[in-house]
Amino acid sequence: MATNHKSLLIDAKSARALEMNNLRLALVNTDHSASYERWVQADTRGFNSPERSADEARGMMDGVAYRRVTGVYDDSAADPATPVGTVSSWPGPLTVPGSRAVQAWAISSVTVSPTHRRRGIARAMLEAELRTAVASAVPLAMLTVSEATIYERFGFAPAAMAADLTIDTRRARWVGATPSGRVHFVERAQLRRDVDSLVNSWRVQSPGEILAWPRLWDLQLGLATDEPDSGKHLRAVRYDDENGQAQGFAIYKLKEDEQDYSRHTATLTYLLALTPDAYSALWQHMLELDLTATVKAPLRSVDEPLLWQVDNQRAIEQRHHDHLWLRILDVVGALSARSYAAPLDLTIAVTDDLDFAAGTYRVRNAVVEPVETATPDLTMPVNSLSALYLGGVSATTLRDAGRITEHTAGAAAAMDTAFRSPQTPWLSLWF
Ligand SMILES: CC(C)(COP(=O)(O)OP(=O)(O)OC[C@H]1O[C@@H](n2cnc3c(N)ncnc32)[C@H](O)[C@@H]1OP(=O)(O)O)[C@@H](O)C(=O)NCCC(=O)NCCS
């Protein structure tokens, strides 16, 4: 993960805009614990979470210190050391179709204090992030969102969806394969040692996945020292193939039903499988847990083989929702980073209110170049191109929704054939 993003200069245009309102945009020194701790508490407060103890704040500070951490300060406020706006960002690899990666500017921790809302602080921070990404030659930005209504105006669109599953295990009988490897219970600390290599093997072949940060796995496994009780209810299992090679794992917690001890609920917090056998064995383990009536599995793919491995798909309720939002900043850089499923030769006019990506581009397979033409095959806002980027959304659907204009008959269908990804894009975490 690149580190020079932390020392890039603050964006002058947003700094000026905020200064006009007597506000100050500043980078937070992540080595300076007093101001950094105030930033962490402001971020936490912004998401309506409880105030962090000194230990918890220290854990968060260590966990996100690799990020570029920015605050907006009101020096006239009663507590001027606590920022009224927070944002953090970092560049990292995003997997794109073709088992390739593109650098993407991840944006997180976007909060504005309720005392300062709707005065343009979030806009100043976000535009600053996008300009900083462009200045660093990063071709797209990405985020996961608390509310789906905020980011379209900045050029973002949902590009990978997720499904929250609720499985009635009494009605969903396993009819998939029973692989010859073994599922083992493992100590969480033991699994922590294997997690990075398992997850990274998976990440580089799964469009939509990003490189996670170390603290995420400490938290997933209940091993973060500042949250000592969080692991109590977690169970960890690992699947080893017939050669004893680890090929996947699942982390879950169980909650009993106080009225009926035979109706526990298992919440699957993470399941990763490098092989179809690992996938089958781990899901079979989950569905056949005794004393358990429900398995909840949030943030799964919208295209789970599991649906075809039970005798009753209706026993699996699915709630689909937008998850990974992308914003292309450099059309040539972004589109030439991925591979295409079919030959393509299209001219696409892109509109962009913030002007980063505006222009007309000829896309010939993965060769992308700006062109001068008054007759493009398709015209679309940068949001639509960003939605289509990973192949998780169809161009014909966006055309029918009025979000793409088709000037040449068949152009949207041709785009679909080429942009399609054999693996449905999916991001398995929040950031
Ligand atoms: C969402 C939040 C960051 C907005 O901050 P803000 O400084 O009030 O936003 P701004 O004044 O810069 O508004 C920028 C634009 O977004 C719009 N907007 C802001 N919050 C919005 C919301 N919750 N829903 C829809 N639109 C919103 C504004 O109307 C404005 O639109 P315009 O510029 O097109 O006229 C702030 O309300 C907040 O901290 N909320 C709680 C934490 C959160 O949800 N963060 C987002 C994490 S993904």
Side-chain angles (χ1 to χ4, degrees), residues 48 202 315 324 391 395 404:
N48 297 334
W202 156 255
L324 174 67
I404 289 179

Side-chain angles (χ1 to χ4, degrees), residues 25-356:
L25 182 65
L27 275 181
V28 177
N29 180 352
T30 51
D31 297 328
H32 187 304
S33 56
S35 60
Y36 187 24
E37 183 173 347
R38 296 321 303 156
W39 183 94
V40 162
Q41 296 291 7
D43 176 30
T44 302
R45 186 176 66 192
F47 284 110
N48 297 334
S49 302
E51 188 175 320
R52 304 288 169 178
S53 68
D55 263 4
E56 289 165 347
R58 166 64 54 197
M60 286 181 69
M61 288 156 69
D62 291 346
V64 297
Y66 68 92
R67 299 183 185 179
R68 177 182 166 81
V69 172
T70 308
V72 174
Y73 293 86
D74 179 348
D75 292 324
S76 69
D79 174 14
T82 300
V84 296
T86 62
V87 62
S88 68
S89 57
W90 68 101
L94 165 71
T95 307
V96 295
S99 299
R100 300 180 186 186
V102 64
Q103 282 293 300
W105 192 262
I107 302 173
S108 184
S109 325
V110 177
T111 74
V112 170
S113 165
T115 53
H116 289 67
R117 66 194 284 281
R118 307 302 180 268
R119 296 189 207 170
I121 296 179
R123 177 171 281 281
M125 295 194 302
L126 281 157
E127 290 186 6
E129 291 299 334
L130 298 181
R131 280 191 289 270
T132 307
V134 170
S136 321
V138 174
L140 71 165
M142 59 183 182
L143 35 75
T144 57
V145 311
S146 57
E147 282 190 277
T149 47
I150 303 171
Y151 293 101
E152 186 167 351
R153 59 175 54 75
F154 300 108
F156 287 87
M161 310 300 156
D164 296 338
L165 309 181
T166 303
I167 307 162
D168 178 347
T169 55
R170 304 276 167 97
R171 289 169 61 219
R173 194 173 55 86
W174 181 260
V175 294
T178 298
S180 48
R182 287 180 61 183
V183 173
H184 300 270
F185 271 111
V186 285
E187 294 280 340
R188 289 176 286 116
Q190 184 189 352
L191 182 57
R192 180 68 188 87
R193 289 192 286 277
D194 297 332
V195 151
D196 294 316
S197 75
L198 287 168
V199 168
N200 282 326
S201 305
W202 156 255
R203 173 180 63 79
V204 295
Q205 38 171 310
S206 181
E209 286 290 358
I210 67 165
L211 175 63
W213 50 102
R215 180 172 162 85
L216 180 110
W217 297 112
D218 294 342
L219 289 168
Q220 286 276 11
L221 283 160
L223 296 169
T225 48
D226 53 295
E227 297 192 17
D229 288 340
S230 62
K232 264 188 187 167
H233 297 282
L234 292 178
R235 303 278 178 271
V237 289
R238 190 185 69 209
Y239 175 77
D240 293 353
D241 64 20
E242 51 276 31
N243 301 317
Q245 183 71 33
Q247 299 289 7
F249 65 89
I251 308 166
Y252 61 95
K253 55 187 169 199
L254 287 157
K255 188 170 186 306
E256 75 180 67
D257 180 328
E258 285 168 12
Q259 312 300 323
D260 183 347
Y261 195 72
S262 70
R263 300 186 63 84
H264 281 64
T265 295
T267 300
L268 180 67
T269 53
Y270 207 87
L271 184 151
L272 176 139
L274 294 181
T275 62
D277 275 0
Y279 183 90
S280 297
L282 292 166
W283 270 113
Q284 185 176 10
H285 174 86
M286 293 306 302
L287 263 55
E288 294 183 350
L289 288 170
D290 280 335
L291 303 178
T292 302
T294 306
V295 173
K296 293 190 173 181
L299 219 57
R300 299 300 307 174
S301 167
V302 291
D303 189 19
E304 291 282 344
L306 173 69
L307 274 290
W308 302 92
Q309 294 179 300
V310 295
D311 67 347
N312 182 3
Q313 292 198 3
R314 294 182 190 186
I316 303 179
E317 276 177 32
Q318 301 186 66
R319 188 180 76 87
H320 287 197
H321 55 91
D322 58 275
H323 183 48
L324 174 67
W325 289 59
L326 294 182
R327 199 284 185 215
I328 290 178
L329 295 161
D330 166 6
V331 174
V332 174
L335 293 193
S336 50
R338 55 156 293 178
S339 71
Y340 294 87
L344 181 72
D345 189 353
L346 283 179
T347 305
I348 304 173
V350 180
T351 59
D352 183 350
D353 288 347
L354 295 177
D355 244 11
F356 296 116

